[in-house]
Amino acid sequence: AVVTKFLRSRGIMPEKAGFYNILFLFTPGLPLTKTEKLFKVLKEFKTLYDKNTPIFEVFPDLEEHYKEYYPPQAGLRDLCDQMHLFQYRHDIVAGAAELYSDLPAQAMPPHKAYYGLVEGRTEYLPLEEVSGRVSTFMILPYPPGIPLIMPGERFGADDSNILKFLRMNELFDNIFRGFETEMHGIKREWRDGRPVYLISVLK
């Protein structure tokens, strides 16, 4: 997330980025200058990381919007270490691998869930209230770009892999402001000064 944010600040848009990987697409005929720019910016990031440059110098928008969440003396390497420790403690690699091992039960065909959406028979609920409820939207973390749940499928128990993964991402977004996870089908709403994930389910 940190490298991706840095690249975007320099006008480079990766195809997608996960917790520990970034994908770049190189099309036929791509000018050599674009490749050189990518390597130049990656080298710039490495230099700033090695120097542990203050994060507000690297990301001025963090100071503008999230100053109270980051110590003024915090450096780029400090931020990366904290983010890695969070992911290590939540065993994100193993958790991501288990996500699709336990598929949610289909309660109805997707088009019937869509009818509920069109007819206004839906409501947005926080994560702690969606266990056993039927989703009206496809929820898709990007990457990997594979749906966790489809319209018409029912959320499992509160300790299911899907809900644990969503709660982990919600916590990540709260701790590391400005580095929010890209999650399609989730509505983020500010409650009591923090972002909360809301899920659209059938009433």
Side-chain angles (χ1 to χ4, degrees):
V2 180
V3 178
T4 301
K5 184 178 180 70
F6 183 79
L7 290 168
R8 287 175 175 168
S9 73
R10 299 300 192 271
I12 296 175
M13 301 296 290
E15 170 64 19
K16 61 182 179 179
F19 290 104
Y20 288 107
N21 56 74
I22 301 177
L23 174 66
F24 300 98
L25 294 183
F26 290 85
T27 58
L30 186 75
L32 182 60
T33 53
K34 294 199 179 220
T35 307
E36 291 172 340
K37 179 181 180 181
L38 172 61
F39 283 105
K40 180 180 178 181
V41 172
L42 288 172
K43 184 178 179 181
E44 180 187 1
F45 179 88
K46 178 68 164 58
T47 300
L48 295 171
Y49 174 89
D50 289 341
K51 292 180 178 178
N52 201 24
T53 305
I55 58 173
F56 291 154
E57 291 183 22
V58 181
F59 302 115
D61 65 301
L62 293 183
E63 184 173 24
E64 180 180 356
H65 300 292
Y66 305 107
K67 187 175 183 178
E68 65 272 26
Y69 297 100
Y70 298 101
Q73 72 277 11
L76 182 61
R77 187 171 62 245
D78 299 329
L79 174 63
C80 292
D81 289 347
Q82 291 168 11
M83 200 174 287
H84 170 68
L85 183 60
F86 175 93
Q87 294 166 356
Y88 175 78
R89 286 176 173 171
H90 286 83
D91 201 8
I92 185 60
V93 176
E98 294 171 356
L99 264 180
Y100 304 98
S101 62
D102 186 19
L103 298 178
Q106 184 177 5
M108 64 184 67
H111 71 277
K112 289 192 175 181
Y114 177 73
Y115 291 157
L117 179 66
V118 172
E119 295 166 1
R121 295 184 287 105
T122 63
E123 59 184 336
Y124 276 98
L125 296 178
L127 294 176
E128 59 268 20
E129 298 179 27
V130 300
S131 176
R133 303 296 293 271
V134 177
S135 179
T136 57
F137 286 132
M138 174 175 62
I139 296 177
L140 185 148
Y142 192 78
I146 302 171
L148 297 177
I149 194 166
M150 293 291 290
E153 291 184 335
R154 191 181 302 278
F155 282 95
D158 198 53
D159 63 348
S160 64
N161 290 332
I162 290 175
L163 287 177
K164 286 194 295 186
F165 179 78
L166 291 175
R167 281 197 298 271
M168 186 276 297
N169 278 276
E170 183 184 58
L171 180 60
F172 180 92
D173 289 359
N174 274 273
I175 296 174
F176 300 103
R177 304 290 175 94
F179 298 92
E180 290 80 7
T181 309
E182 187 174 354
M183 189 83 66
H184 299 272
I186 296 287
K187 179 180 178 182
R188 287 186 179 92
E189 186 175 284
W190 285 85
R191 294 186 177 182
D192 300 322
R194 69 184 187 90
V196 173
Y197 281 12
L198 298 178
I199 308 287
S200 176
V201 296
L202 291 176
K203 291 181 180 179

